[in-house]
Amino acid sequence: MTEENEVKLTDLPGIGPTTASKLEDSGYGDLMSIAVMAPPDLSTLADITESTARKAINAARKLLKLEFEDAVQYLRKREEVLKITTSSKNFNELLGGGIETRSITEAFGAFGSGKSQLAHQAAVNVQLPIEQGGANAKVAWIDTEGTFRPERIKQIAEGSGLEPEKTLKNIFVARAFNSDHQVLLVDKVKDLIKNGEPIKLVIIDSLMSHFRAEFTGRGQLADRQQRINKHLHSLIRLAEAYNIAVYITNQVMADPAMMFGDPTRAIGGHILGHASTYRIYLRRGKKDARVAKMVDSPNLPETECVFFITEKGLCDEI
Ligand code: GTP
Ligand code: MG
């Protein structure tokens, strides 16, 4: 895919500065998001006629060279997709092979359910050679809660037969101090890639904590969702443009409407559900076991699997 950042929305026919800023505020600040829209939707959103909307969309598609791909091309693109091992066969199977590039994988669950542990494991495993379930690549880790643990990385690296210090050096960690900073850091990841860093995994642990803390009032909810939407779209673009796996963690809250079963659901509302390609629910099982459940995927069944967290990292049995 071409990098669309050089062309501005105002380069499109019928889109002036006012309309452009309206679109930007709604999270549609780039050509790609316009190119994939339907004319009636753009018309409503930007308050322009449907025929103007159609012209703008077509122009965006042309600029991005978006054409129908034939099946062979599509397959080739899919073949480029890498699957990063979790070190648990069961978990890999649940994910259809591993944590996929060109996708967003979201894990949600209660505290201690293993979301951050999976992040640490993946940050090590992506460095493995491709034949061993890695991508022979580096990691960008956006830490919003201060839960990145270098000692844990060393431990897991040793468990995987990798050199601990070298493994740590391949992980770019940035602490995000607030939601604006978090958003900005995604651009910084792009800069790293443009500077030649072979990054194949981007971790955000956790996605919502700053947004949740900063936008508290009911009146701020729409604004919050809009910003999250924009943030997610830039993550999707990053994943697609550079064949990167994006792994995000998310918290849960009690769902008062749910009377039976597990009364928790992911926070962040529908936009997060739509943006994530794979959603996994993690919970503690018996003893040290963890249960992962695929709750949303375009091509995989809604199954469950059991795995364990040990000193060496994730595994199938202890
Ligand atoms: P929050 O961030 O608090 O929402 O939780 P989380 O889902 O990110 O939890 P995390 O992935 O940090 O899991 C923490 C749990 O992993 C601990 O309670 C331990 O059960 C387990 N764990 C972490 N390190 C080790 C280790 O070295 N050995 C073993 N056996 N378990 C570990
Ligand atoms: Mg955590």
Side-chain angles (χ1 to χ4, degrees), residues 41-92:
D41 294 340
L42 179 58
S43 158
T44 313
L45 193 74
D47 203 11
I48 51 179
T49 68
E50 222 173 285
S51 103
T52 307
R54 183 166 294 116
K55 278 178 199 146
I57 289 168
N58 285 339
R61 286 180 182 170
K62 258 200 191 127
L63 281 165
L64 289 173
K65 302 190 180 60
L66 275 191
E67 285 149 29
F68 281 107
E69 297 172 279
D70 62 50
V72 178
Q73 262 178 321
Y74 182 78
L75 193 67
R76 206 155 283 155
K77 230 180 195 176
R78 290 289 308 169
E79 279 168 0
E80 275 174 37
V81 165
L82 297 165
K83 302 192 178 192
I84 302 157
T85 179
T86 61
S87 291
S88 151
K89 269 190 190 150
N90 295 341
F91 206 157
N92 287 348

Side-chain angles (χ1 to χ4, degrees), residues 137-138 172 189-199 242:
K138 299 189 184 183
F172 298 97
V189 173
K190 254 185 230 168
D191 292 344
L192 285 173
I193 295 167
K194 284 179 182 161
N195 287 336
E197 295 293 354
I199 290 169
Y242 303 103

Side-chain angles (χ1 to χ4, degrees), residues 226-270:
Q226 220 165 67
R227 282 171 197 241
I228 296 169
N229 195 25
K230 211 167 162 178
H231 185 39
L232 287 167
H233 274 97
S234 79
L235 288 170
I236 292 173
R237 278 196 306 279
L238 189 73
E240 292 185 342
Y242 303 103
N243 192 26
I244 282 176
V246 175
Y247 171 69
I248 59 181
T249 67
N250 193 9
Q251 295 146 318
V252 288
M253 61 176 178
D255 185 351
M258 184 125 167
M259 307 256 278
F260 303 101
D262 203 344
T264 49
R265 61 187 168 98
I267 62 170
H270 291 302

Side-chain angles (χ1 to χ4, degrees), residues 103-134:
S103 296
I104 298 198
T105 301
E106 173 197 352
F108 67 98
F111 60 90
S113 58
K115 306 179 295 288
S116 299
Q117 289 303 313
L118 177 56
H120 285 80
Q121 185 75 57
V124 171
N125 290 357
V126 72
Q127 304 185 33
L128 292 166
I130 292 174
E131 317 80 71
Q132 291 175 34

